[in-house]
Amino acid sequence: MAKINDGIRILQGLLVFGNVIIGMCGIALTAECIFFVSDPHGLYPLLEATENDDIYAAAWIGIFVGFALFALSILGIVGVIKSNRTLLMVYIILMLITYAFEMASCITAATHQDFLTPNLFLKQMLERYNKSDTDNNNDKWMTEGVTKTWNKLMLQNQCCGVRGPSDWQEYTSAFRVTHNDADFPWPRNCCVMDAQGSPVNLDGCKLGVPGYYNSNGCYDAISGPMNTHAWGVAWFGFAILCWTFCVLLGTMFYWSRIDD
Amino acid sequence: FNTSVEPGTPESAFQRFPTHVPAYMTLNTTILNYPCPKTPGGITVLRVGSETSCAGDETRPTCNGPLPGPGPYRVKFLALADSKPLVETAWSDPITLRSAQPFSSIAAMGSRHSAGMIALTSILSILLAILLAGLVAMLVWGSDACSGSSTFNKPEAVTVRRYNTHHAYDQPAARL
């Protein structure tokens, strides 16, 4: 019976275990990124109108990277068990390429998250909500997206504006151009609605009487899902990359110690 | 402003304010709307400028139309009996209306890079650099003949000794 060094057995076992973890994390990353791309909260039109939707690009990259990690982990397990130098070399090269892509995705998501501030959404809301004169088709598409999203947001979350209804009073807006201050101090959707979708007390809403209008801002309802999205992609990817780093170093060491 | 001016006349008409008349009368109501004791509930606020439909209608001089400019304005209350002033309050302090800033003045782009993003970028870059260095080292040194004790895969040469068992030889016939 051939006597095999215990040390190499342990290293093989560790590498197989490491690759199993990578495979499972790859599936998890794919599932998570598909969830984010599907936009369950309907906030994508707001990002699209900022003309900088890098978080979605990072999530798309995450889908493909997760699947690649799963496939490569299987290749790695086969290569380690068979102790085949060619297979392991292919594995290492492809893993490095996947590593680079995932690194790009994480950095993009983390950088873009800093870009999403209350002022950004405030300016966009004032500029585009209910804008009547649009320049071209692209502008019209983005304006309609922003208007529909804000109407839905204000109705579902019982909120008004980014920081509050005073946003509509402190700044001029595209909304103010078509709706005068006397009739519409803030949009109708800021009023508390009854079951039929009409304001409970329109005069009370226009006056700003507590109980008849939504006095809190919508920023929490926007930033909550977006921050979860960005953090999920950036930091889970970072954790996967740290683990992959260790497994790759072990595989390189293993490769240099076998010969065929 | 002479408070003996009757409401509903051109001298107190909203439409002629502020160019022709110094003040206008509006929000007229009857004593029935101010019962004693006060009915609970209800909104006890009067909003100046609520009616936009009659703002240009000369037939509605007591229209509660939107104020024409940023101000400042003064207000007073007047109680009339048979269209003659009975009691009145003093003129209020000057009230200036709020003016809205243009939305283009909002600074939307000032974002600082957070500490987390800087840490993530630098750590990942360092890890990638180590991996690439490891790959180079692996290719340069790993391909040489490996040091003797580390050829793990070849099984050790096993020699089988032949044992001479005594029944392997042709035995001469046992001698007596």
Side-chain angles (χ1 to χ4, degrees):
Chain A
M1 192 177 82
K3 183 169 161 243
I4 301 201
N5 195 329
D6 277 339
I8 196 56
R9 276 291 196 121
I10 295 176
L11 185 57
Q12 268 186 331
L14 283 177
L15 287 179
V16 168
F17 172 69
N19 276 303
V20 164
I21 300 285
I22 289 180
M24 295 197 305
C25 286
I27 302 269
L29 183 67
T30 300
E32 182 199 22
C33 288
I34 288 180
F35 174 71
F36 287 138
V37 166
S38 70
D39 193 24
H41 295 276
L43 293 172
Y44 183 67
L46 294 185
L47 272 185
E48 195 184 16
T50 65
E51 294 179 349
N52 188 349
D53 53 355
D54 282 347
I55 288 191
Y56 277 82
W60 276 108
I61 295 179
I63 294 178
F64 296 112
V65 161
F67 192 68
L69 282 176
F70 173 69
L72 283 177
S73 71
I74 295 179
L75 175 69
I77 291 175
V78 168
V80 162
I81 291 181
K82 286 197 170 169
S83 298
N84 186 334
R85 264 198 158 191
T86 321
L87 273 183
L88 283 179
M89 178 54 94
V90 168
Y91 167 81
I92 289 175
I93 301 283
L94 288 180
M95 262 297 203
L96 279 176
I97 295 175
T98 310
Y99 192 96
F101 270 101
E102 178 61 16
M103 202 172 112
S105 164
C106 290
I107 293 179
T108 305
T111 309
H112 189 57
Q113 187 191 358
D114 296 338
F115 174 70
L116 303 175
T117 54
N119 273 355
L120 175 74
F121 291 110
L122 178 64
K123 189 165 183 179
Q124 183 197 74
M125 177 184 82
L126 295 171
E127 218 172 346
R128 288 205 189 267
Y129 181 77
N130 264 149
K131 185 172 167 189
S132 46
D133 53 335
T134 51
D135 307 323
N136 51 34
N137 265 350
N138 192 30
D139 196 29
K140 187 158 169 285
W141 169 260
M142 291 202 283
T143 300
E144 275 174 22
V146 170
T147 305
K148 277 203 203 105
T149 306
W150 270 105
N151 282 338
K152 188 171 66 78
L153 258 180
M154 292 198 280
L155 266 180
Q156 278 179 351
N157 299 88
Q158 275 97 49
C159 58
C160 185
V162 172
R163 293 201 187 92
S166 53
D167 289 341
W168 299 102
Q169 299 277 300
E170 281 173 37
Y171 298 97
T172 62
S173 53
F175 173 75
R176 186 60 64 222
V177 167
T178 44
H179 300 77
N180 60 26
D181 191 43
D183 284 329
F184 293 91
W186 33 71
R188 276 285 176 270
N189 280 23
C190 289
C191 300
V192 174
M193 300 287 195
D194 58 17
Q196 281 80 35
S198 50
V200 169
N201 186 333
L202 190 58
D203 288 322
C205 177
K206 284 201 256 183
L207 276 174
V209 178
Y212 296 114
Y213 79 122
N214 302 323
S215 53
N216 49 317
C218 296
Y219 184 63
D220 287 334
I222 298 174
S223 71
M226 281 196 191
N227 277 344
T228 311
H229 176 147
W231 276 70
V233 171
W235 292 97
F236 184 52
F238 177 72
I240 293 178
L241 287 182
C242 287
W243 181 264
T244 309
F245 169 77
C246 300
V247 171
L248 273 180
L249 273 187
T251 312
M252 286 180 189
F253 177 73
Y254 182 72
W255 186 91
S256 66
R257 289 280 173 260
I258 60 174
D259 50 25
D260 51 18
Chain B
F1 178 70
N2 190 349
T3 52
S4 61
V5 168
E6 292 193 4
T9 62
E11 282 81 23
S12 65
F14 164 75
Q15 288 80 10
R16 306 187 70 212
F17 174 79
T19 48
H20 300 290
V21 291
Y24 68 99
M25 290 177 157
T26 187
L27 278 171
N28 45 319
T29 185
T30 65
I31 197 170
L32 296 167
N33 282 323
Y34 292 87
C36 290
K38 211 163 74 153
T39 52
I43 302 171
T44 56
V45 176
L46 292 173
R47 187 167 184 250
V48 174
S50 278
E51 300 180 279
T52 48
S53 50
C54 58
D57 189 357
E58 298 271 330
T59 62
R60 289 279 321 274
T62 55
C63 176
N64 185 14
L67 293 168
Y73 298 97
R74 292 177 190 260
V75 291
K76 70 156 38 186
F77 284 91
L78 209 58
L80 305 161
D82 292 330
S83 296
K84 298 222 176 8
L86 204 58
V87 244
E88 61 193 81
T89 63
W91 282 110
S92 71
D93 293 331
I95 304 168
T96 313
L97 303 184
R98 297 166 79 168
S99 50
Q101 298 174 40
F103 61 79
S104 47
S105 66
I106 303 174
M109 284 299 169
S111 58
R112 321 265 343 266
H113 288 305
S114 63
M117 172 250 159
I118 294 178
L120 187 145
T121 308
S122 46
I123 291 178
L124 284 182
S125 309
I126 292 174
L127 293 186
L128 184 65
I130 296 176
L131 279 180
L132 289 175
L135 179 71
V136 167
M138 183 180 96
L139 291 174
V140 165
W141 287 301
S143 300
D144 300 346
C146 303
S147 43
S149 64
S150 49
T151 51
F152 292 127
N153 260 22
K154 280 224 180 79
E156 286 177 9
V158 175
T159 53
V160 178
R161 275 161 130 224
R162 289 200 69 198
Y163 291 97
N164 291 328
T165 54
H166 44 266
H167 49 257
Y169 292 126
D170 281 344
Q171 293 278 2
R175 295 225 182 108
L176 285 169

